[in-house]
Amino acid sequence: MEKKFFLKNSIEKIENEKSSFFLDPKEKEYVVNRLRKEHIPYQIYAPYEEAEKVLIYNGKFPEIELLELLSKEPLEHRSILGTLFAHQILPYFYSDIIITEKSHYLVALKPVADYLKNQVREIGKKNVQFIKKDLKELEEYHPCYESKIYHVSSLRLDVVIARITKKSRRVVEDILNERDVFLNYEVTFKKDVFIKEGDVFSIRGYGKYRFSKIQYQNKKGNMDIEILQYK
């Protein structure tokens, strides 16, 4: 019910010549289909090439800011997300966290950007500061992935997760039951769903992944598959 209200609200905003919230690929597809059906003009803003979360707007450019997250100590991706959640900043209000060799960035709607700059001073007990940067700094950015090869007997989600996490299938079942797995941006409980090339899945505490391709398959059906892990 919450997601339906959120999507409906995004469509109403665009219809009234405003910006949507940040949308993941499935949400974007739904909203774009509705806009086309109702003949509502729109434009899409992606913070960078290959960005997964985008804004859809109609009229003036969205009020957003690019923020750099400064810290003298290394920060973990999940600690950043945990802090945003603790401050009740929902994922709808900001882009993916952008990680480079030098720093961390995110694009946020203006009210959220102002809050982060003025109120958030600590992440995981480490002192931090959010600084406004020029959006043009993202023009040359490309996401980084680490390619890994896993030998699996099946493309069932629980089999793949077991290989990645090095946990038993029983433990993986518990992970699924705890709502800790997202497949294509939606929580999944199904251990027997089969993944396909291009699918994106996240395992809380382990990271975010994309199934790239089958590299080799023998006569018994066992496979070497390439998984791209987001850095």
Side-chain angles (χ1 to χ4, degrees):
M1 182 65 70
E2 179 184 343
K3 174 160 280 194
K4 286 183 178 180
F5 174 79
F6 157 72
L7 292 173
K8 181 180 179 182
N9 187 256
S10 287
I11 293 168
E12 289 176 351
K13 283 178 173 289
I14 299 165
E15 187 175 16
N16 292 317
E17 300 188 354
K18 296 180 180 179
S19 167
S20 72
F21 298 106
F22 280 93
L23 307 172
D24 68 33
K26 294 196 79 168
E27 294 162 348
K28 170 192 168 185
E29 181 182 17
Y30 175 86
V31 170
V32 165
N33 286 338
R34 285 288 305 276
L35 293 173
R36 287 175 176 170
K37 185 177 180 180
E38 298 178 22
H39 305 289
I40 300 172
Y42 66 90
Q43 292 178 275
I44 296 176
Y45 167 74
Y48 54 89
E49 189 177 351
E50 301 178 58
E52 294 188 346
K53 292 171 69 175
V54 302
L55 292 171
I56 301 178
Y57 66 100
N58 174 17
K60 68 176 184 179
F61 189 77
E63 294 189 20
I64 54 177
E65 287 187 4
L66 170 63
L67 300 179
E68 180 180 8
L69 179 51
L70 301 181
S71 173
K72 294 182 179 179
E73 302 177 75
L75 298 172
E76 292 185 350
H77 185 274
R78 60 182 176 181
S79 296
I80 299 171
L81 288 177
T83 298
L84 294 173
F85 180 78
H87 283 265
Q88 299 183 334
I89 301 174
L90 299 176
Y92 306 141
F93 300 132
Y94 59 89
S95 68
D96 301 305
I97 295 172
I98 302 160
I99 302 174
T100 69
E101 293 181 357
K102 297 181 179 180
S103 193
H104 297 73
Y105 301 85
L106 60 81
V107 179
L109 298 177
K110 183 68 166 57
V112 172
D114 290 340
Y115 178 86
L116 290 171
K117 289 183 293 185
N118 296 322
Q119 302 296 329
V120 179
R121 293 287 182 264
E122 190 176 90
I123 291 179
K125 297 183 179 180
K126 298 173 182 177
N127 294 329
V128 299
Q129 186 177 9
F130 285 92
I131 300 294
K132 180 182 178 181
K133 308 292 284 188
D134 192 325
L135 282 169
K136 292 182 179 179
E137 292 193 20
L138 291 182
E139 289 179 354
E140 302 300 323
Y141 172 76
H142 295 278
C144 294
Y145 312 93
E146 182 178 358
S147 174
K148 295 185 178 181
I149 306 299
Y150 295 96
H151 185 73
V152 295
S153 59
S154 165
L155 292 179
R156 270 179 43 152
L157 183 60
D158 62 335
V159 173
V160 174
I161 291 177
R163 290 294 294 154
I164 290 173
T165 62
K166 299 180 182 179
K167 301 294 184 182
S168 69
R169 298 268 288 278
R170 179 58 184 272
V171 172
V172 170
E173 186 174 351
D174 291 339
I175 293 173
L176 285 160
N177 290 336
E178 290 293 324
R179 302 175 64 88
D180 285 341
V181 176
F182 292 77
L183 177 61
N184 294 324
Y185 308 96
E186 292 187 353
V187 174
T188 182
F189 303 96
K190 297 179 179 180
K191 63 181 181 180
D192 57 351
V193 64
F194 286 80
I195 61 173
K196 60 185 183 300
E197 290 185 7
D199 279 350
V200 175
F201 58 97
S202 301
I203 312 163
R204 200 184 306 277
Y206 291 91
K208 181 179 177 182
Y209 307 84
R210 181 187 297 273
F211 173 35
S212 175
K213 61 186 175 182
I214 298 173
Q215 284 205 330
Y216 169 78
Q217 185 170 9
N218 63 24
K219 293 181 180 179
K220 294 183 178 180
N222 296 320
M223 294 165 276
D224 289 334
I225 61 174
E226 181 184 38
I227 299 289
L228 302 178
Q229 181 174 6
Y230 289 70
K231 289 186 176 181

